[in-house]
Amino acid sequence: MEIKIPIYNDIWMDNAVENLYRLINDSEEEIDINLDKTELTVNTNDKDGLRGILSSIIQNNRNTLIVKHKDKKTGEIKEIKKDFVLIQEGKKIDGIVAFKENIYSEPNKSTSEILDLIEKNGERTCVVCGNTFFKPYKKLQQASYPFVTKIKSLSGVRTYKDGNFYSFREYYDNFCPICYMVGILEWLDSRIIYRTFPGDKSILFLPYFDNFEDLVEFKEEYGPLLNKSERYSNIRVNLDEDKTEGTPGKFSTLLCFYEKFLLDIDYENVIGRNWAIMEVPFGSVKNIKFRMLNLTDSILGVMKELIGENEIRVYTNLIKETYFFIDNPKGAPVDWDLTRKIREKLSESFLIDDFRSFSRMLLPRKGGKVGYSSETRRNLESLIYIWRLKKMGISKESLGSIKGVGNIVAKVSKNNLSLLYKLDKTRSIEDFWSVLREISRKLIGIDIKKAKVRPTSLDELIQLLKDNEAQWTEIRDLLVVYSSMYYAIGSRGGEKK
Ligand SMILES: [Zn+2]
């Protein structure tokens, strides 16, 4: 028999095809299998042999679906299904997970039935691949295609094809056995990146390409970064260690992945930058949130440059070293909840190339301020230089002027943050000019020597602004970053050693 599976241009199904190809290839069984840019082909005269291969890859990779947990009291080892795996589970028997999906509970029997169905020709049209088939093995469900939901209006797949609407029932019934088998086995993919927040949700990342060859190469390259036996996160802290990262959210997870990929992996030409991000909630109703994230070449370039020339990892050496300190005369305790939120938002702003929102995250807030060590500050400055200034064509001297004014803003904001907030909120260049005039007036009131500020930097900044009027928002955002930075340094407890 010959099975041909063309590219779906569907993120779940294409990753699933790649996964099936890799699992069969890794099993080193004798079979004629080929994956080119747009199609997977399996050719065999030995249907029973193919069944044997399929059921053995399911058995041998079952560990991808579960984690093992040792009971502290009894020392007993129990299996736990990974939180995001959408295959239903029955009651555990002797601590072993019992999947309520025949292909996982009885792989031999199930694959044999599926192959029999695949062999037959029929008249029905599959809603996922559009091919005709004889009879479904199982109807369309989240376990084999997670984007489908029980609520029709939320359903992630089209409910019509070629201009014809499917009825609700036809829609779920017209699911071919090939799509079922490919889709349900995607859970065995050890290259799905995940991060689980207990009691809340899991976030899954799947790379997207328009061809199978690049997808295969990219997933093969980053595979070693992941440790599938951990429950809550699978990005290794270090390549040769089992320990995994505890990132605060989805964007920080992806950022963390990239810095490891760029630093630890000898990649060739293929670097994925398009991702599907799936949020799988805890609880019994699993309506999955889904979004695509396409990173720009320019952000990827910034990460590469920081790692390549400076060995600075944006997440580990900068964002993860940023804290929110609570104003407290007895010391400077950290608000961990807010710290994690700020770290996540900084990661997001960077990945989506939004410097405005990045700069605002660093502003002092009611009750405290964002702070970091002097080493982290240097890393932040390197990031800003590569991310913003180089591109804007602003020289390092001009940066000196922005920093000088930032220092003034920090000093005059010492007892009153309204000026700093006003600066951040400027909506037009006129507003900006007016804030600069206000800074100039405030300067009169402070002891320049004692405050260690450089008044001429204000004149230089005014000149810089006149020469670069079109880029005034960039200059404003840079001024916000540096004002916040000097504010954090100047206030008690702001500097973490
Ligand atoms: Zn199909």
Side-chain angles (χ1 to χ4, degrees):
M1 69 190 292
E2 187 187 54
I3 301 176
K4 276 176 179 284
I5 308 175
I7 194 159
Y8 286 83
N9 295 311
D10 175 289
I11 202 124
W12 181 261
M13 296 306 289
D14 288 340
N15 272 283
V17 173
E18 182 277 340
N19 176 58
L20 182 62
Y21 168 75
R22 186 194 57 93
L23 289 176
I24 294 178
N25 240 5
D26 285 359
S27 73
E28 291 177 355
E29 300 277 358
E30 290 275 322
I31 187 155
D32 180 7
I33 181 167
N34 181 56
L35 185 71
D36 62 20
K37 274 187 159 52
T38 58
E39 195 169 55
L40 173 76
T41 330
V42 183
N43 240 313
T44 180
N45 294 322
D46 178 11
K47 193 170 79 175
D48 201 48
L50 178 59
R51 180 202 47 75
I53 292 170
L54 288 170
S55 69
S56 75
I57 61 173
I58 294 166
Q59 275 151 346
N60 296 340
N61 293 279
R62 190 178 164 279
N63 271 349
T64 310
L65 311 173
I66 52 142
V67 286
K68 291 194 171 129
H69 177 78
K70 193 173 173 183
D71 191 299
K72 277 190 189 120
K73 276 186 195 150
T74 62
E76 196 189 346
I77 293 174
K78 260 191 184 171
E79 288 185 355
I80 299 171
K81 185 180 73 145
K82 281 184 188 168
D83 306 271
F84 55 83
V85 171
L86 295 170
I87 304 165
Q88 292 198 357
E89 185 188 358
K91 202 175 178 332
K92 282 195 186 98
I93 302 156
D94 295 332
I96 303 291
V97 168
F99 290 108
K100 278 198 206 157
E101 189 79 36
N102 291 344
I103 198 164
Y104 286 109
S105 57
E106 293 175 276
N108 238 319
K109 182 164 170 271
S110 173
T111 47
S112 163
E113 288 163 3
I114 291 169
L115 289 176
D116 286 346
L117 288 173
I118 290 174
E119 233 179 0
K120 291 181 182 152
N121 295 317
E123 302 285 307
R124 301 168 78 154
T125 304
C126 172
V127 289
V128 174
C129 68
N131 293 327
T132 53
F133 67 103
F134 171 62
K135 227 172 82 179
Y137 177 73
K138 242 190 135 167
K139 63 181 183 182
L140 184 58
Q141 282 176 325
Q142 275 194 331
S144 44
Y145 189 71
F147 304 135
V148 74
T149 72
K150 293 227 155 56
I151 305 163
K152 198 182 181 186
S153 61
L154 288 174
S155 185
V157 241
R158 286 177 302 261
T159 46
Y160 61 92
K161 208 149 203 148
D162 306 324
N164 296 315
F165 281 90
Y166 281 94
S167 75
F168 202 34
R169 193 158 159 232
E170 276 181 313
Y171 175 64
Y172 288 103
D173 284 349
N174 285 324
F175 185 49
C176 80
I178 291 183
C179 288
Y180 167 76
M181 183 177 74
V182 170
I184 194 84
L185 296 185
E186 171 58 7
W187 298 111
L188 300 177
D189 189 347
S190 57
R191 281 88 28 89
I192 297 176
I193 300 168
Y194 59 82
R195 174 81 177 99
T196 289
F197 300 94
D200 183 16
K201 64 188 169 198
S202 296
I203 297 159
L204 310 184
F205 300 86
L206 291 167
Y208 184 69
F209 285 92
D210 62 1
N211 72 85
F212 285 134
E213 282 171 2
D214 287 346
L215 184 64
V216 168
E217 188 171 337
F218 183 55
K219 286 173 88 171
E220 197 170 301
E221 283 171 347
Y222 77 68
L225 293 173
L226 307 178
N227 172 12
K228 66 175 180 182
S229 40
E230 286 291 322
R231 182 169 180 185
Y232 298 122
S233 154
N234 66 342
I235 299 179
R236 291 176 196 275
V237 174
N238 290 304
L239 259 189
D240 49 2
E241 279 176 39
D242 284 344
K243 198 168 175 260
T244 55
E245 291 277 356
T247 40
K250 55 175 172 269
F251 292 99
S252 47
T253 302
L254 197 59
L255 183 57
C256 185
F257 165 80
Y258 268 106
E259 64 183 29
K260 288 173 202 295
F261 180 80
L262 295 171
L263 195 65
D264 297 334
I265 299 294
D266 250 341
Y267 56 91
E268 295 290 324
N269 300 314
V270 181
I271 305 178
R273 52 190 184 83
N274 302 318
W275 296 88
I277 306 177
M278 286 163 61
E279 281 185 30
V280 183
F282 271 59
S284 52
V285 183
K286 307 272 193 192
N287 284 325
I288 289 165
K289 275 197 212 153
F290 168 81
R291 68 169 281 179
M292 289 295 298
L293 181 70
N294 308 309
L295 298 182
T296 61
D297 284 337
S298 121
I299 277 298
L300 212 52
V302 173
M303 285 192 272
K304 276 194 216 167
E305 199 172 331
L306 273 167
I307 280 173
E309 284 170 25
N310 310 283
E311 287 219 0
I312 296 171
R313 294 173 289 175
V314 181
Y315 179 70
T316 305
N317 305 127
L318 169 53
I319 293 175
K320 203 178 165 187
E321 291 297 324
T322 300
Y323 304 83
F324 189 83
F325 294 101
I326 303 164
D327 287 332
N328 182 340
K330 287 182 191 152
V334 172
D335 180 335
W336 285 108
D337 201 33
L338 189 51
T339 293
R340 291 173 75 80
K341 280 183 188 142
I342 290 172
R343 287 177 184 173
E344 175 60 14
K345 200 73 191 161
L346 284 171
S347 305
E348 175 178 4
S349 310
F350 173 70
L351 282 177
I352 64 172
D353 204 357
D354 182 351
F355 185 57
R356 167 91 177 127
S357 126
F358 188 90
S359 65
R360 304 190 80 178
M361 278 300 115
L362 300 174
L363 277 169
R365 299 171 191 216
K366 199 166 176 267
K369 71 234 134 218
V370 176
Y372 28 75
S373 69
S374 49
E375 192 190 333
T376 306
R377 187 169 72 236
R378 280 195 294 280
N379 294 339
L380 175 60
E381 294 199 57
S382 301
L383 169 71
I384 290 169
Y385 179 68
I386 292 169
W387 186 14
R388 309 317 298 176
L389 298 169
K390 252 182 145 179
K391 215 184 301 165
M392 289 165 71
I394 287 183
S395 66
K396 284 201 167 157
E397 293 82 70
S398 306
L399 179 61
S401 322
I402 298 174
K403 287 166 82 169
V405 178
N407 192 20
I408 295 174
V409 174
K411 295 286 153 61
V412 303
S413 297
K414 198 142 199 191
N415 298 311
N416 183 355
L417 283 166
S418 64
L419 185 69
L420 184 45
Y421 293 146
K422 211 188 268 179
L423 168 67
D424 168 61
K425 289 205 175 73
T426 50
R427 293 264 165 84
S428 66
I429 191 161
E430 288 74 29
D431 281 359
F432 194 31
W433 281 122
S434 123
V435 171
L436 290 178
R437 278 193 293 273
E438 197 177 333
I439 295 171
S440 169
R441 283 199 299 278
K442 293 252 161 100
L443 198 52
I444 299 166
I446 61 170
D447 184 337
I448 289 165
K449 256 198 183 147
K450 214 174 147 195
K452 290 188 190 138
V453 295
R454 194 166 61 84
T456 48
S457 58
L458 195 55
D459 302 323
E460 292 161 14
L461 181 75
I462 289 167
Q463 194 53 50
L464 180 71
L465 191 57
K466 279 183 181 160
D467 296 341
N468 298 279
E469 280 207 2
Q471 288 175 308
W472 78 269
T473 54
E474 250 329 298
I475 295 172
R476 172 201 60 199
D477 296 342
L478 287 165
L479 192 54
V480 167
V481 170
Y482 282 104
S483 303
S484 309
M485 187 187 280
Y486 287 115
Y487 181 84
I489 296 171
S491 43
R492 199 166 166 252
E495 185 126 351
K496 188 191 157 276
K497 286 276 171 273

